[in-house]
Amino acid sequence: MAELLLELYSEEIPPKLQIAARSQIKQYIENFFKEKNIKFKELSVYSSPTRLTIFTKDLAEKIKIEAKQIKGPKVGSPDKVLQGFIRSKNLNEKDLIKKDTDKGEFYFIKTQSQSILVEDLLIKFIPKAIGLINWKKSMRWSDHNLIWGRPLRSIFAKFNNKKLTFEFEHFDSIDEIIIEQDLITKTKKIKDFKDYLNFLKSNRIIVDHKEREEIILKKISSFSQSKQYKENLNPKLLEEVVNIVEDPNLLHVSFSKDYLEIPKEIIISTLEQHQRYFPIFDSRDRLTNHFFVVANKKDEKKLITQGNKRVVEARLADAKFFWDKDISKNLIKQIANLKSVTFYEKLGTIYDKTQRLRQLAGLLSDDLNINKEKVQVAASISKSDLCSDLVREYPELQGVMGKYFALAQGFDQDVSNSVSDHYLPTGLTSPIPKKPFSYSISIVDKIDTLVGFFVINEKPTSSKDPFALRRAAIGLLRIIIENKLSFKLRDLISYAVRLYQEQGVEIKNDKTEQEVLEFIKERMRNVLKLKNIKTDIIEASISSHAGDNFLALYTKTILIN
C-alpha cells in the first residue's frame, strides 16, 4: 500500500476560498477513487493561507479490472455504426462475437482482465482535479492563462515514495517543498507525510487547520481561566482566524477603559469585524477593555501588542467622536435627511419607504390592537440612524445604533427596541422579534420590500435573488407563526401597492397582490421542512390552501402530520 502526498503552494488565499477549495478537492478525489474502485484507508485535506495539502494513506498501487462482455450494435446495423463501435474500443472485426438477447441478435466483445497502475491514473486525474476547483474570486497573473484563487507557485506531488510526474498549465510537478519566510527561501526533498509535517513545523508552519484551531482554543481557555474571563468566542470569527495564520500565537492586549462608555456593540464590531480580534468578557458577561489577538509570530519585544493597541484605540477614538456627535441629533429631524438616501432607483428613497411604513403600520395596528400613534412613530424613525456617521462607518450596526439614539432621546423602550428588532430575523433559525411594536414594524418593512420589487417586476428567479426576497418572505412567515398572529395580510399587500402608486412608482405588474401571496405561500415549504413535516403532507397542505391566513395553514399541517 502506498501514500499520496500533494501540495499546492500559492500566495495567501483568503479563508472562505480555502474552506471551499478543501471541500471541493476532497470530493473530487473521493469520487474518483470510488469510480475507479481504488481502495484507500484515509483521505485528508489540510490548508494554511499558502498551502492546500492532500494526503491519502494506504492507497492501492494497482487495480484489477475483471473481464467482461460489452454490448455493441445490433446485427444488421449499418456498417458505419459497426465500424464506429470497433474504433471506439480499439478492436479488430475478428474480436466481435454474436449473441442472442431478448431484443434480438447483437454484437458483443469480451474484454480481458487487466491490472492498471494507480500511478498512471493519478497522473491523468490530478491535473483535472486541480483545474476543477471553482474559485468564487480568482486571479490571472503574469502572461499565463491559468486562473487560480491566488497566484500558484508550485505543485509538489509524491506517490509511493516517488515523484509523481505530470504537467498542469505552465507548471511541472516537483518533489521539493518550498518555504519562503522573511525574504529567505528554503527547499527540501520530502520522504513522506511525516517528514513533510516535521519540515513545516520546524519552520513554524502548521498546515493542519484543525490543529491550529485546537492550539488557539487551548491558549484562550488557559489564559481565560487564569484571569477568570468568560470563554465567549464568535465561531465564525474563530474559523476565519484559524485560516489566516500558520503559526498561531496568542497576544493579550488592552485599550483605555474610557472607551467602555460607548455602546459595547461598537467595540465588539471594531474588534471582530474590522480587526479580526476576540473581545474579552468577564465572569459576569460584561465587556472588558481587553482583547485577544492571534498573531502569526511570537511577540517577544511586545511590538505587535503595542501596534494592535494603537490601531484599536485610533478606531475607537473615531467611533467615540461619531457617537458623541450622532447622539445629539434629533431622530425626528433626521427623517427629512433620508430623502438623500436611495432605497432602490425605481422605488424611491428611504424617506419614501418610511412614509409607506408609517401608513402600513397604522393599518396593521387595528388588526393587532396596538397603539396606532406609537407604532407610527416607531415606523417613522425606524431608518433614521442611516443618516448617522456611526452607521456610515459601521453599516453592520444599522438599527442597533438607532435603538441607542432613541433611548438617549427619551423614546419609549418598546419604540426604541423596534428600531433594532425590525431587521429580524436574519436567517432561517435566527431570533425573531417578540414584542408587538417590534414585530409590527418588521412585518410592514418586509411586506413593503416584497411588494416593491414585485411591482416593478424584479422578482427572484430560480437561480438569483439579489434583493433577498425569499429571506424576507420566510422571515415574515416565521414572525406570523411563532407569534401566533392573525391579520388581513391581503389588505396590507393591496394597500402597499396603492402607496407605491400614490408615490408615483410605475406599476409594471398588475398581478402583484396575487403573486406576492403565492410567493409567500411557496416559502411555507421551507418553514415546514424545518419542523420535519413529511414532504407529501407539505405538498398536500400548500396546494389545497387558499387565502392569506398562514397561521391557519401551519396549524392545519402540524395537526395532519
Side-chain angles (χ1 to χ4, degrees), residues 18-51:
Q18 275 184 62
I19 294 164
R22 284 200 308 255
S23 174
Q24 289 179 56
I25 197 83
K26 186 173 185 179
Q27 191 65 56
Y28 296 149
I29 294 173
E30 282 178 342
N31 291 344
F32 170 71
F33 287 164
K34 186 176 179 181
E35 178 192 334
K36 298 297 183 182
N37 199 24
I38 301 172
K39 293 181 180 178
F40 66 98
K41 184 177 181 180
E42 181 185 331
L43 171 61
S44 302
V45 180
Y46 309 104
S47 75
S48 73
T50 58
R51 299 172 198 276

Coordinates of all heavy atoms in Angstrom, one line a residue, residues 18-51:
Q18 N -10.2 29.2 0.9 CA -9.5 28.0 1.4 C -10.5 26.9 1.8 O -10.4 25.7 1.4 CB -8.8 28.3 2.7 CG -7.4 28.9 2.5 CD -6.7 29.1 3.9 OE1 -6.5 28.1 4.6 NE2 -6.4 30.3 4.2
I19 N -11.5 27.3 2.5 CA -12.5 26.3 3.0 C -13.2 25.6 1.9 O -13.4 24.4 1.8 CB -13.5 27.0 4.0 CG1 -12.8 27.5 5.3 CG2 -14.6 26.1 4.4 CD1 -13.5 28.5 6.1
A20 N -13.6 26.5 0.9 CA -14.3 25.9 -0.3 C -13.4 25.0 -1.1 O -13.8 23.9 -1.6 CB -14.8 27.1 -1.2
A21 N -12.2 25.4 -1.3 CA -11.2 24.6 -2.0 C -11.0 23.2 -1.4 O -10.9 22.2 -2.0 CB -9.9 25.3 -2.2
R22 N -10.8 23.2 0.0 CA -10.6 22.0 0.7 C -11.8 21.0 0.5 O -11.6 19.8 0.2 CB -10.5 22.3 2.2 CG -9.3 22.9 2.7 CD -9.1 22.7 4.2 NE -10.2 23.1 5.0 CZ -10.2 24.2 5.8 NH1 -9.2 25.0 5.8 NH2 -11.3 24.5 6.5
S23 N -13.0 21.5 0.6 CA -14.2 20.7 0.4 C -14.3 20.2 -1.0 O -14.5 19.0 -1.2 CB -15.4 21.5 0.7 OG -16.6 20.8 0.4
Q24 N -14.0 21.0 -2.0 CA -14.1 20.6 -3.4 C -13.1 19.5 -3.8 O -13.5 18.5 -4.4 CB -14.0 21.8 -4.3 CG -15.1 22.8 -4.3 CD -14.9 24.0 -5.2 OE1 -14.7 23.8 -6.4 NE2 -15.0 25.2 -4.7
I25 N -11.9 19.8 -3.5 CA -10.8 18.8 -3.9 C -11.0 17.5 -3.2 O -10.7 16.4 -3.9 CB -9.4 19.4 -3.7 CG1 -8.3 18.7 -4.5 CG2 -9.0 19.4 -2.2 CD1 -8.2 19.1 -5.9
K26 N -11.4 17.5 -2.0 CA -11.7 16.2 -1.3 C -12.8 15.4 -2.0 O -12.7 14.2 -2.2 CB -12.0 16.5 0.2 CG -12.1 15.2 1.0 CD -12.3 15.5 2.5 CE -12.3 14.1 3.2 NZ -12.5 14.4 4.7
Q27 N -13.9 16.1 -2.4 CA -15.0 15.5 -3.0 C -14.6 14.9 -4.4 O -15.0 13.8 -4.7 CB -16.1 16.5 -3.2 CG -17.4 15.9 -3.6 CD -18.0 15.0 -2.6 OE1 -18.3 15.4 -1.5 NE2 -18.3 13.7 -3.0
Y28 N -13.8 15.7 -5.1 CA -13.4 15.2 -6.5 C -12.5 13.9 -6.3 O -12.7 13.0 -7.1 CB -12.5 16.3 -7.2 CG -13.2 17.5 -7.5 CD1 -12.5 18.8 -7.5 CD2 -14.6 17.6 -7.8 CE1 -13.2 20.0 -7.8 CE2 -15.2 18.7 -8.1 CZ -14.5 19.9 -8.1 OH -15.2 21.1 -8.4
I29 N -11.6 13.9 -5.4 CA -10.7 12.7 -5.2 C -11.5 11.5 -4.7 O -11.3 10.4 -5.2 CB -9.6 13.1 -4.2 CG1 -8.7 14.1 -4.9 CG2 -8.7 11.8 -3.9 CD1 -7.6 14.7 -4.0
E30 N -12.4 11.7 -3.7 CA -13.2 10.6 -3.2 C -14.1 10.0 -4.3 O -14.2 8.8 -4.5 CB -14.1 11.1 -2.1 CG -13.4 11.3 -0.8 CD -14.3 11.8 0.3 OE1 -15.4 12.4 0.0 OE2 -14.0 11.7 1.5
N31 N -14.6 10.9 -5.2 CA -15.5 10.4 -6.3 C -14.6 9.6 -7.3 O -15.1 8.6 -7.8 CB -16.2 11.6 -7.0 CG -17.2 12.2 -6.1 OD1 -17.7 11.6 -5.2 ND2 -17.7 13.4 -6.5
F32 N -13.4 10.1 -7.5 CA -12.5 9.4 -8.5 C -12.1 8.0 -7.9 O -12.2 7.0 -8.7 CB -11.2 10.3 -8.7 CG -10.1 9.6 -9.4 CD1 -10.2 9.3 -10.8 CD2 -9.0 9.2 -8.7 CE1 -9.2 8.7 -11.5 CE2 -8.0 8.5 -9.4 CZ -8.1 8.3 -10.8
F33 N -11.8 7.9 -6.7 CA -11.4 6.6 -6.1 C -12.6 5.7 -6.1 O -12.4 4.5 -6.4 CB -11.0 6.8 -4.6 CG -9.6 7.5 -4.5 CD1 -9.2 8.0 -3.2 CD2 -8.7 7.5 -5.5 CE1 -8.0 8.6 -3.1 CE2 -7.5 8.1 -5.4 CZ -7.1 8.6 -4.2
K34 N -13.8 6.2 -5.9 CA -15.0 5.3 -5.9 C -15.2 4.9 -7.3 O -15.5 3.7 -7.6 CB -16.2 6.1 -5.4 CG -17.4 5.3 -5.2 CD -18.5 6.2 -4.6 CE -19.8 5.3 -4.4 NZ -20.9 6.1 -3.8
E35 N -15.2 5.8 -8.3 CA -15.4 5.4 -9.7 C -14.5 4.4 -10.2 O -14.9 3.5 -10.9 CB -15.3 6.7 -10.5 CG -15.5 6.5 -12.0 CD -15.2 7.7 -12.8 OE1 -15.2 8.9 -12.3 OE2 -14.8 7.6 -14.0
K36 N -13.2 4.5 -9.8 CA -12.2 3.6 -10.3 C -12.0 2.4 -9.4 O -11.1 1.5 -9.7 CB -10.8 4.3 -10.5 CG -10.8 5.4 -11.5 CD -11.1 4.9 -12.9 CE -11.1 6.1 -13.9 NZ -11.4 5.6 -15.3
N37 N -12.8 2.3 -8.3 CA -12.7 1.2 -7.4 C -11.2 1.1 -6.8 O -10.7 0.0 -6.7 CB -13.1 -0.1 -8.0 CG -13.4 -1.1 -7.0 OD1 -13.8 -0.8 -5.9 ND2 -13.3 -2.4 -7.4
I38 N -10.6 2.3 -6.4 CA -9.3 2.3 -5.8 C -9.5 2.3 -4.3 O -10.1 3.2 -3.8 CB -8.5 3.6 -6.3 CG1 -8.4 3.6 -7.8 CG2 -7.1 3.6 -5.7 CD1 -7.8 4.9 -8.4
K39 N -8.9 1.3 -3.7 CA -9.1 1.2 -2.2 C -8.1 2.1 -1.5 O -6.9 2.3 -1.9 CB -8.9 -0.2 -1.8 CG -10.0 -1.1 -2.3 CD -9.8 -2.5 -1.8 CE -10.9 -3.4 -2.3 NZ -10.7 -4.9 -1.9
F40 N -8.5 2.7 -0.4 CA -7.6 3.6 0.4 C -8.2 3.5 1.9 O -9.3 3.2 2.1 CB -7.6 5.0 -0.1 CG -8.9 5.7 0.0 CD1 -9.1 6.6 1.1 CD2 -9.9 5.6 -0.9 CE1 -10.3 7.3 1.2 CE2 -11.1 6.3 -0.8 CZ -11.3 7.1 0.2
K41 N -7.3 3.9 2.8 CA -7.7 3.8 4.2 C -8.2 5.2 4.7 O -9.1 5.3 5.4 CB -6.5 3.4 5.1 CG -6.9 3.2 6.6 CD -5.7 2.7 7.3 CE -6.0 2.5 8.8 NZ -4.9 2.0 9.6
E42 N -7.5 6.2 4.3 CA -7.7 7.6 4.8 C -7.4 8.7 3.8 O -6.4 8.6 3.1 CB -6.9 7.8 6.1 CG -7.1 9.1 6.8 CD -6.1 9.2 8.0 OE1 -5.7 8.2 8.6 OE2 -5.7 10.4 8.3
L43 N -8.3 9.6 3.7 CA -8.1 10.8 2.8 C -8.2 12.0 3.6 O -9.3 12.3 4.2 CB -9.0 10.8 1.6 CG -9.0 12.0 0.7 CD1 -7.7 12.3 0.1 CD2 -10.1 11.9 -0.3
S44 N -7.2 12.9 3.7 CA -7.3 14.1 4.5 C -6.8 15.3 3.6 O -5.9 15.2 2.8 CB -6.3 14.0 5.7 OG -6.6 12.9 6.5
V45 N -7.5 16.4 3.8 CA -7.2 17.6 3.1 C -7.0 18.7 4.2 O -7.8 18.9 5.1 CB -8.3 18.0 2.2 CG1 -7.9 19.3 1.4 CG2 -8.6 17.0 1.1
Y46 N -5.8 19.4 4.1 CA -5.5 20.5 5.0 C -5.2 21.7 4.2 O -4.9 21.7 3.1 CB -4.2 20.1 5.8 CG -4.2 18.7 6.4 CD1 -3.5 17.6 5.9 CD2 -5.0 18.5 7.6 CE1 -3.5 16.4 6.5 CE2 -5.0 17.2 8.2 CZ -4.3 16.2 7.6 OH -4.3 14.9 8.2
S47 N -5.2 22.8 5.0 CA -4.8 24.1 4.3 C -4.3 25.1 5.3 O -4.7 25.1 6.5 CB -6.0 24.7 3.6 OG -6.9 25.3 4.4
S48 N -3.4 25.9 4.9 CA -3.0 27.1 5.6 C -3.1 28.2 4.6 O -3.5 28.0 3.4 CB -1.5 26.9 6.0 OG -0.6 27.0 4.9
P49 N -2.8 29.5 4.9 CA -3.0 30.6 4.0 C -2.3 30.3 2.6 O -2.8 30.8 1.6 CB -2.5 31.8 4.7 CG -2.7 31.5 6.1 CD -2.5 30.0 6.3
T50 N -1.2 29.6 2.6 CA -0.4 29.5 1.4 C -0.3 28.0 0.9 O 0.3 27.8 -0.2 CB 1.1 30.0 1.6 OG1 1.7 29.2 2.7 CG2 1.1 31.4 1.9
R51 N -0.9 27.1 1.6 CA -0.8 25.7 1.2 C -2.1 24.9 1.2 O -2.9 25.1 2.2 CB 0.2 25.0 2.1 CG 1.6 25.6 2.0 CD 2.5 25.0 3.1 NE 3.7 26.0 3.2 CZ 4.7 26.0 2.5 NH1 4.9 25.1 1.5 NH2 5.7 26.9 2.6

